[in-house]
Amino acid sequence: MNLIIDVGNTSIKFAVFDLGKLIGKIVGDIGDFDMMLAQVLKSYPKIDQAIVSSVGKLKTSHIESLKNKITVLELSHKLKLPFMNLYATPKTLGVDRIALVSASVKQFPDNNVLIIDAGTCITYDFINKKNEYLGGAISPGIRLRYRTLNNLTANLPLLNTQLPEDILGNSTQSSIHSGVVFGVLKEIDGVIDEYVKKYSHLTVILTGGDTKFLSNQLKNSIFAHPNFLLEGLNFILEYNSQ
């Protein structure tokens, strides 16, 4: 039984896999690490190994506490990976992106796959049917765009995410919603269109915190998969345990 720990920019996820299937998940703040770990290990006493993926700040003491209880693998570009990494700067490739690409290898082998992770940032990652990871793109996510408009201007308010009724905003609030949300949707559809021109038989995965909000608004055909990153981490753990 595997424990998957995904430390993001704003939260931490604990997921439990058994025989390749997700059987439990909790989400909380990084400061609640010890409490969440104790809760998971109590609920699933058969956990014997874990993988930690951290793009946020996780204290060394948390890692050491975990290692005192079970076998721990820390994700980095140095691990054995199930794909050929052709990124020009492999040391700077985020562990979350490594996990997403690994998941695509597991679920869509021998395919051209574009993985779009819509969270704090929107990341685009492409792996071809030869199992070569070529790179992608990074842009601001939905909430980051709302916050940037508020933080870097004198008079624009901070709004909650909302699907605009029309692309034509007739007030400051509706104009912000239109600019942010339609901007993201048009960006994602535009990126997909460019990949389709270059690579035939493209499989597109949409994952991340904004998956549900975005999935029904895109014109392109996609697979919406909110747990794709967790499944990729589990696959990497299994791949390195063989």
Side-chain angles (χ1 to χ4, degrees), residues 14-33:
F14 284 73
V16 180
F17 282 79
D18 189 25
L19 300 177
K21 293 184 178 181
L22 178 65
I23 61 172
K25 181 177 73 171
I26 59 174
V27 182
D29 295 329
I30 295 177
D32 295 327
F33 180 92

Side-chain angles (χ1 to χ4, degrees), residues 10 125 134 158 189 210 213 221 228 232:
T10 57
D125 291 288
L134 302 183
L158 178 60
D189 273 325
D210 288 324
F213 178 77
S221 176
F228 206 60

Side-chain angles (χ1 to χ4, degrees), residues 199-220:
Y199 301 97
S200 60
H201 307 294
L202 182 71
T203 299
V204 182
I205 307 298
L206 178 65
T207 189
D210 288 324
T211 299
K212 185 176 180 180
F213 178 77
L214 294 171
S215 59
N216 292 329
Q217 313 304 324
L218 295 168
K219 70 177 181 64
N220 281 285

Side-chain angles (χ1 to χ4, degrees), residues 77-175:
H77 71 281
K78 296 179 181 179
L79 287 185
K80 181 174 67 172
L81 300 176
F83 58 89
M84 186 179 299
N85 188 354
L86 300 184
Y87 205 54
T89 55
K91 292 181 180 180
T92 68
L93 181 62
V95 289
D96 51 342
R97 300 173 73 186
I98 291 174
L100 291 169
V101 175
S102 297
S104 74
V105 172
K106 172 72 172 179
Q107 298 191 31
F108 302 96
D110 306 317
N111 276 259
N112 293 319
V113 183
L114 176 64
I115 310 108
I116 304 169
D117 183 10
T120 303
C121 292
I122 301 172
T123 59
Y124 301 85
D125 291 288
F126 178 75
I127 183 166
N128 65 22
K129 60 185 179 181
K130 297 179 182 179
N131 204 37
E132 298 169 331
Y133 173 69
L134 302 183
I138 304 172
S139 73
I142 291 177
R143 289 308 307 161
L144 191 54
R145 297 184 194 210
Y146 276 113
R147 288 199 298 268
T148 299
L149 288 175
N150 173 246
N151 291 338
L152 299 182
T153 61
N155 298 311
L156 295 183
L158 178 60
L159 305 178
N160 292 320
T161 303
Q162 180 179 310
L163 185 66
E165 297 180 359
D166 194 284
I167 196 167
L168 177 61
N170 63 359
S171 69
T172 298
Q173 291 197 1
S174 61
S175 295

